[in-house]
């Protein structure tokens, strides 16, 4: 049997970073930047005010106080988006709004709360003059040009994953499109005569195809573009037709047909289109796994990942291998899910020397993480995955992880109420 690490290394060896596309910045969230981004101008472009108040010369206010305010002549007003009409001279001030450019001659801003503006307005007095009751230092409440970004700065480096903050930075630099590594198209195919599409009428001896949907949702979650091929029936025409459709993708993922006792036709059809290996991986669930390369009609090599048919096995295998493949194609690093140490509230038994990924619910009690199992760990119980937010790991060489021991948990989610 292969270890999890050996299987992952073999799989990732077949994948490369995909090509570059240019798209609107809002559509590129979660993708990897494919070029360095430099600034063509300063941000902010001019000295501007951090407050609503009055642009002044600090020297005029050296002796200003609440007991002895200094009166200045108001010579204008400037709002964000407009420009001052004249310079501030000794003995004068400019009414200024937050974000507005500071007039020439001014070296500081006094917040309006430190003036008699409110009293003047209430009394109906002229606003041609303002009394200021505090002294200020040069540069007070002035945001200098280029404080955030200077012209020519390298602002975002190639390889950065675009989050909302990076999208905001791109917008502030005037970019409406950006070059990124494109998202992989992931073809998803389920096999079996017993399967129904959700929405079909339920029938005896049939089950709804959950694997295609859980895998497609995972693909979408991790940045891929799912291509749902539907269900291939257990006959040659159906399998070949569906496989041909899947060869237009960057990777084909199938579920079922990978165990040693499975119907040989599935394996035979896959083998006709390329080279497929059927592995046993030292893990539970998801011991059986298929991987190989299929040849598209245009000669392109399309990796194929064959997941087990049991729904929990399919999801756990995808988390360990499918997610990493998508990340590599996206140009992302850090293929591993976040892991924490938690106190195990109940034992995990390891019956056959495989690495156990036990579905668990992680909580935090008095600053310590705790992990309790979701119940029955059979690989056909999909609701156990829905209840879990992590996979508690019992190593291959340990027959049991006892309650009270510290266990490593691979987090499926990062719930805010826990962390």
């Amino acid at each position: 049997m292969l270890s999890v690490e050996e299987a992952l290394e073999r799989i990732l060896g077949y994948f490369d970073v995909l090509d570059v596309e240019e798209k609107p910045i809002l559509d590129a969230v979660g993708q990897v930047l494919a070029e360095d981004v430099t600034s063509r101008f300063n941000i902010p472009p001019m000295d501007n005010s951090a407050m609503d108040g009055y642009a002044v010369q600090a020297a005029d206010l050296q002796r200003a106080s609440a007991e002895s305010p200094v009166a200045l002549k108001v010579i204008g007003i400037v709002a964000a988006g407009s420009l001052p009409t004249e310079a501030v001279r000794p003995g004068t001030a400019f009414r200024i709004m937050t974000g507005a450019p500071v007039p020439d001659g001014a070296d500081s801003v006094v917040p309006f709360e430190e003036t008699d503006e409110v009293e003047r307005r209430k009394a109906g007095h002229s606003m041609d003059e303002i009394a200021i009751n505090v002294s200020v230092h040069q540069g007070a409440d002035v945001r200098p040009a280029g404080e955030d970004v200077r012209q020519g700065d390298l602002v975002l480096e190639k390889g950065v994953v675009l989050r909302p903050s990076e999208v905001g930075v791109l917008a502030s630099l005037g970019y409406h499109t950006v070059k990124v590594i494109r998202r992989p198209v992931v073809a998803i195919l389920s096999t079996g005569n017993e399967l129904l599409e959700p929405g079909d009428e339920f029938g005896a001896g049939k089950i709804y195809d959950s694997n295609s949907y859980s895998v497609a949702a995972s693909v979408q979650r991790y940045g891929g573009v799912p291509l749902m091929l539907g269900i291939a029936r257990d006959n040659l025409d159906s399998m070949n037709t569906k496989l041909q459709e899947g060869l237009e993708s960057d990777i084909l993922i199938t579920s079922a047909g990978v165990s040693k006792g499975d119907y040989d036709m599935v394996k035979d059809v896959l083998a006709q289109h390329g080279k497929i290996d059927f592995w046993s991986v030292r893990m539970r669930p998801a011991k059986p796994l298929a991987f190989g390369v299929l040849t598209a009609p245009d000669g392109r090599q399309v990796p194929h990942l064959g997941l087990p048919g049991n729904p929990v096995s399919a999801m756990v295998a995808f988390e360990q291998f499918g997610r990493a493949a998508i990340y590599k194609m996206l140009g992302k690093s850090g293929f591993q899910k976040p892991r924490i140490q938690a106190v195990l509230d109940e034992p995990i038994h390891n019956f056959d020397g495989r690495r156990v990924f036990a579905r668990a619910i992680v909580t935090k009690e008095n600053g310590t993480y705790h992990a309790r199992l979701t119940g029955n760990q059979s690989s056909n119980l999909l609701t156990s995955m829905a209840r879990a937010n992590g996979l508690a790991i019992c190593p291959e060489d340990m027959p049991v992880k006892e309650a009270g021991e510290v266990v490593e948990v691979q987090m499926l989610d990062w719930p805010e109420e826990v962390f």
Side-chain angles (χ1 to χ4, degrees):
M1 281 193 287
L2 295 174
S3 69
V4 174
E5 290 74 19
E6 288 170 337
L8 180 59
E9 183 179 5
R10 290 190 187 186
I11 288 170
L12 292 182
Y14 282 87
F15 291 93
D16 293 305
V17 178
L18 297 179
D19 47 311
V20 175
E21 64 179 354
E22 185 169 354
K23 63 196 305 187
I25 57 174
L26 200 56
D27 295 340
V29 174
Q31 290 180 253
V32 172
L33 190 62
E35 60 181 349
D36 288 339
V37 173
T38 58
S39 178
R40 296 165 291 178
F41 45 81
N42 289 334
I43 300 177
M46 305 173 68
D47 291 353
N48 71 88
S49 178
M51 305 286 288
D52 287 352
Y54 290 85
V56 300
Q57 293 184 353
D60 284 337
L61 305 177
Q62 287 181 356
R63 300 182 181 278
S65 67
E67 294 74 24
S68 180
V70 172
L72 299 176
K73 181 181 179 182
V74 179
I75 60 173
I77 184 170
V78 59
S82 61
L83 295 173
T85 54
E86 58 182 298
V88 170
R89 304 177 303 278
T92 66
F94 233 91
R95 183 67 167 94
I96 194 167
M97 306 303 177
T98 301
V102 175
D104 290 342
D107 58 21
S108 53
V109 172
V110 177
F112 79 89
E113 295 92 343
E114 303 295 347
T115 73
D116 67 346
E117 177 181 301
V118 173
E119 291 78 6
R120 282 178 177 272
R121 292 188 185 280
K122 284 183 178 178
H125 293 164
S126 169
M127 298 304 298
D128 291 343
E129 188 177 79
I130 195 72
I132 298 175
N133 53 28
V134 293
S135 62
V136 294
H137 60 82
Q138 287 187 357
D141 288 315
V142 173
R143 300 184 291 212
E147 181 183 33
D148 189 10
V149 175
R150 300 198 67 82
Q151 183 177 358
D153 278 356
L154 173 60
V155 184
L156 297 174
E157 292 188 27
K158 177 181 178 180
V160 166
V161 177
L162 297 181
R163 303 169 300 168
S165 51
E166 282 81 13
V167 170
V169 168
L170 287 168
S172 75
L173 295 170
Y175 284 80
H176 70 284
T177 63
V178 65
K179 291 181 179 179
V180 292
I181 306 301
R182 71 171 177 86
R183 299 183 188 276
V185 177
V186 182
I188 300 160
L189 176 64
S190 288
T191 62
N193 287 336
E194 76 281 9
L195 296 179
L196 296 171
E197 285 284 0
D200 289 350
E201 184 177 351
F202 189 71
K206 303 292 185 179
I207 58 172
Y208 287 112
D209 174 22
S210 62
N211 284 359
S212 289
Y213 288 85
S214 60
V215 170
S218 297
V219 166
Q220 196 167 48
R221 179 184 190 183
Y222 295 129
V225 180
L227 174 63
M228 301 281 280
L229 300 178
I231 300 166
R233 302 303 175 188
D234 289 334
N235 63 74
L236 290 173
D237 288 343
S238 179
M239 280 289 298
N240 277 306
T241 298
K242 295 293 186 183
L243 279 178
Q244 289 298 325
E245 295 174 21
L247 294 178
E248 299 296 322
S249 65
D250 297 298
I251 176 177
L252 170 66
I253 296 180
T254 60
S255 63
V258 298
S259 295
K260 291 182 178 177
D262 284 338
Y263 186 31
D264 286 340
M265 187 207 69
V266 176
K267 300 175 182 177
D268 291 344
V269 172
L270 290 170
Q272 288 173 13
H273 293 269
K275 184 179 184 298
I276 302 296
D277 290 326
F278 295 90
W279 300 341
S280 290
V281 183
R282 197 175 293 113
M283 60 187 288
R284 177 160 56 88
K287 175 182 174 182
L289 193 74
F291 188 78
V293 176
L294 306 177
T295 302
D298 61 1
R300 195 168 49 89
Q301 300 294 292
V302 180
H304 164 249
L305 176 62
L307 304 176
N310 276 327
V312 173
S313 299
M315 290 196 73
V316 171
F318 182 88
E319 288 288 341
Q320 307 313 311
F321 308 116
R323 174 181 181 272
I326 288 174
Y327 268 38
K328 186 167 182 182
M329 286 187 282
L330 283 169
K332 292 185 176 182
S333 58
F335 301 144
Q336 296 294 328
K337 299 279 284 186
R339 298 188 180 210
I340 62 164
Q341 301 292 312
V343 176
L344 194 58
D345 288 347
E346 54 192 297
I348 302 174
H349 294 283
N350 187 350
F351 303 106
D352 53 4
R354 289 187 273 162
R355 185 178 305 175
V356 179
F357 293 89
R359 284 136 277 163
I361 301 167
V362 175
T363 57
K364 197 171 190 178
E365 302 172 21
N366 300 318
T368 300
Y369 294 122
H370 284 256
R372 59 183 173 86
L373 305 188
T374 58
N376 190 328
Q377 295 289 299
S378 294
S379 60
N380 62 310
L381 302 179
L382 186 53
T383 53
S384 66
M385 280 295 283
R387 288 192 289 270
N389 60 13
L391 297 173
I393 299 172
C394 180
E396 298 92 317
D397 58 355
M398 295 188 68
V400 64
K401 270 282 190 179
E402 298 285 4
E405 289 190 58
V406 174
V407 65
E408 186 174 59
V409 182
Q410 184 184 86
M411 297 304 300
L412 297 171
D413 300 296
W414 205 251
E416 293 180 1
E417 65 272 16
V418 175
F419 302 99

